[in-house]
Amino acid sequence: MRNSLWKVIVPVLSGLILLLLPVPQGLNANAWHYFALFVAVIMGLILEPLPAAALGFAGVTAAASIRLVAAKPDDAIKWALSGFSDTTVWLIFVAFMFTLGYEKTGLGKRIALVLVRFLGKKTLGLGYAVTLADLVLAPFMPSNTARSGGTIYPIVRNIPVLYGSQPGETARDIGSYIMWTAFAATCVTSSMFLTSLAPNVLAVSLVKKTLKLDITWSEWFLGFLPVGLILILTLPLLAYKIYPPVLKASEEVPEWAGRELAKMGRLSRNEVLMALLAILAVVLWIFGTKLLNAATVALLVFSLMLFTGIVTWEDVVGHKQAWNVLVWFGTLVPLADGLNKVGFVAWFAKAIANAMSGLSVTVMVLLLTAIFFTVHYMFASLTAHATALLPVFLAVSTGVPSIPVKIFSLLLCYTLGLMGILTPYATGPAPVYYGSGYIRRKEFWTLGLIFGVIYITALLAIGAPYLFTIYAR
């Protein structure tokens, strides 16, 4: 009972302390009160006195009831429910449906068996296979939720089961390592290419509007290449050392996987249909971006899965995990967006910029980049982060004549994919992997912090000097 009680007290106390503190200069009381509520919810998500979805639901309801974000009651409830019209939220939901289709048809098991058959002697080998799969798809799929949550996850979700690793007591056998590696990899690949993450394209557009600078696909790729290569080549090994699996190797399992493949026989009708629908989704995600939104593609393929009998509506209704994540992320999106709407984000960014006046240009660039990366703890959307903060941070550079604006712009843009590693809500695929049950709450937050430090350190220690070498005159 005591263990549960402190989990309630700490979030409530965090919010109350902030409420009692004087409102900072330049910020209105309404924005400060909303920030106090937001901090209380985030502390609750970390400690989980209640399920995350319930906390998000309660938080957004409280904000709407007190009308902290919108003064009119009708506008307040529209804001509170706005997350359920967010395309990323539905991409996440459909990712779980794709997983269900792979499981029901047996296609996921078959693909997993093939991977294990050829790469399963070493767990580390599976980590590199998962990372490579994401890297190959990344340049062509601007939605990391579609790429990792909708394509990679439904397949790799079947691998741990082959080793007897299930959510719970046996999760750390191999499942936790595979899931974290897959998630960590997509955060790196999302920064490697201009076209591997939708907010990247938005960021380049904002740079052009704010600073009149063009960033081409090749400039983006070459500028991040040293950091990207080092992280991709070392990531599976880093995860292997920091979050080690219990099962390191198995000579017998690949042989067993071969026998299981033989038992499965030829592809069934539903396996073929699921494979064709998966290919359709990937093709439309890559080449159909001008015709269909990524979420529309996901819903279209999901509808075809229902019509072809791959999954039934009873399967969908009974998938508690998917509905839980839908409610959780659907409430976190407006909660994070509320910080921007009440003016807290703009005030915070300007306060940081003013505090740094007098520092050397290099130190200012590095610190601002690190702050831009770290404040993503307050966001549940990379797009919202870029929209709210990037113009503000870019505007800071216009007030300091000696700042190398091209280098600064690229560094800020490169953080967008990397910052997705920080929390279970930081980017679209995060709640998918968190919801798998293989990575516990405390582990996810701890690993997010560790890998977040690794990622931003690599960018600033390797990427920044490299960019200064290329662009500084």
Side-chain angles (χ1 to χ4, degrees):
M1 182 67 180
R2 287 181 179 177
N3 290 337
S4 300
L5 187 59
W6 76 269
K7 291 181 180 180
V8 176
I9 292 173
V10 171
V12 173
L13 196 59
S14 300
L16 285 175
I17 290 172
L18 288 173
L19 278 175
L20 294 173
L21 291 174
V23 177
Q25 188 176 0
L27 193 67
N28 62 58
N30 199 61
W32 184 246
H33 295 161
Y34 183 84
F35 177 66
L37 173 64
F38 182 82
V39 169
V41 173
I42 295 301
M43 289 302 296
L45 291 175
I46 294 172
L47 299 175
E48 279 196 2
L50 292 173
L55 287 166
F57 192 84
V60 78
T61 301
S65 300
I66 307 171
R67 288 179 284 171
L68 291 174
V69 177
K72 295 181 180 179
D74 288 347
D75 292 338
I77 189 61
K78 286 179 182 177
W79 164 80
L81 298 176
S82 62
F84 294 98
S85 63
D86 187 276
T87 56
T88 301
V89 172
W90 286 101
L91 267 171
I92 294 167
F93 178 78
V94 175
F96 281 95
M97 297 301 108
F98 281 13
T99 303
L100 183 62
Y102 276 98
E103 289 176 355
K104 281 200 70 180
T105 61
L107 180 62
K109 181 180 179 181
R110 186 184 294 274
I111 296 172
L113 283 169
V114 171
L115 285 173
V116 171
R117 174 73 181 86
F118 292 101
L119 298 166
K121 286 185 179 180
K122 303 286 185 181
T123 302
L124 185 59
L126 287 173
Y128 276 99
V130 170
T131 301
L132 180 62
D134 196 295
L135 179 64
V136 170
L137 291 173
F140 313 104
M141 295 179 71
S143 169
N144 65 350
T145 308
R147 181 174 73 251
S148 188
T151 305
I152 302 294
Y153 172 78
I155 294 172
V156 301
R157 174 64 179 78
N158 293 272
I159 293 177
V161 181
L162 302 179
Y163 292 80
S165 179
Q166 298 276 9
E169 293 183 2
T170 59
R172 288 296 301 272
D173 285 0
I174 190 173
S176 301
Y177 167 75
I178 294 294
M179 293 300 164
W180 182 258
T181 302
F183 172 59
T186 204
C187 294
V188 176
T189 60
S190 292
S191 281
M192 282 196 75
F193 309 97
L194 175 59
T195 48
S196 59
L197 187 71
N200 291 350
V201 181
L202 170 64
V204 168
S205 174
L206 291 172
V207 169
K208 185 171 184 178
K209 288 179 181 177
T210 308
L211 302 178
K212 311 302 178 187
L213 277 179
D214 285 313
I215 298 175
T216 65
W217 194 97
S218 59
E219 281 180 326
W220 180 293
F221 174 68
L222 292 174
F224 191 74
L225 189 59
V227 179
L229 278 180
I230 289 170
L231 288 179
I232 283 295
L233 290 174
T234 60
L235 175 60
L237 183 60
L238 280 171
Y240 191 81
K241 296 294 184 182
I242 296 170
Y243 195 43
V246 175
L247 298 176
K248 303 290 197 301
S250 176
E251 296 291 333
E252 297 82 12
V253 169
E255 295 176 6
W256 167 82
R259 293 194 295 270
E260 288 297 306
L261 279 169
K263 288 180 185 177
M264 290 186 74
R266 300 176 62 182
L267 286 164
S268 66
R269 167 198 174 268
N270 278 1
E271 282 183 275
V272 172
L273 283 174
M274 186 65 218
L276 291 174
L277 290 177
I279 292 169
L280 174 64
V282 172
V283 169
L284 290 175
W285 278 331
I286 295 172
F287 301 108
T289 52
K290 292 184 179 179
L291 299 174
L292 296 171
N293 179 275
T296 307
V297 172
L299 291 171
L300 172 63
V301 173
F302 172 43
S303 299
L304 291 173
M305 287 169 63
L306 288 167
F307 278 108
T308 55
I310 289 174
V311 295
T312 66
W313 189 246
E314 287 72 24
D315 295 328
V316 177
V317 172
H319 203 307
K320 294 181 180 180
Q321 197 176 36
W323 292 108
N324 180 61
V325 171
L326 178 72
V327 173
W328 174 41
F329 214 61
T331 53
L332 277 180
V333 166
L335 271 174
D337 179 57
L339 285 172
N340 184 44
K341 285 187 176 295
V342 299
F344 182 86
V345 168
W347 168 83
F348 180 79
K350 289 176 182 176
I352 291 294
N354 291 335
M356 289 188 178
S357 59
L359 295 176
S360 71
V361 170
T362 302
V363 172
M364 186 180 291
V365 166
L366 297 180
L367 276 178
L368 284 173
T369 303
I371 291 168
F372 185 76
F373 176 86
T374 306
V375 295
H376 192 61
Y377 275 101
M378 297 191 293
F379 288 88
S381 164
L382 297 175
T383 301
H385 186 134
T387 304
L389 279 186
L390 189 58
V392 178
F393 274 68
L394 291 172
V396 171
S397 68
T398 63
V400 184
S402 53
I403 278 188
V405 290
K406 186 93 171 188
I407 296 171
F408 184 49
S409 301
L410 283 169
L411 286 172
L412 292 179
C413 290
Y414 290 150
T415 64
L416 290 174
L418 299 176
M419 65 178 62
I421 198 73
L422 291 174
T423 69
Y425 54 83
T427 185
V432 177
Y433 287 97
Y434 180 70
S436 71
Y438 278 97
I439 309 171
R440 295 175 182 173
R441 169 183 45 83
K442 182 179 179 182
E443 292 174 346
F444 207 109
W445 284 92
T446 303
L447 288 168
L449 175 61
I450 293 170
F451 277 77
V453 170
I454 291 171
Y455 285 3
I456 191 63
T457 300
L459 180 63
L460 298 181
I462 301 169
Y466 172 72
L467 289 174
F468 270 99
T469 301
I470 295 176
Y471 293 108
R473 295 288 184 267

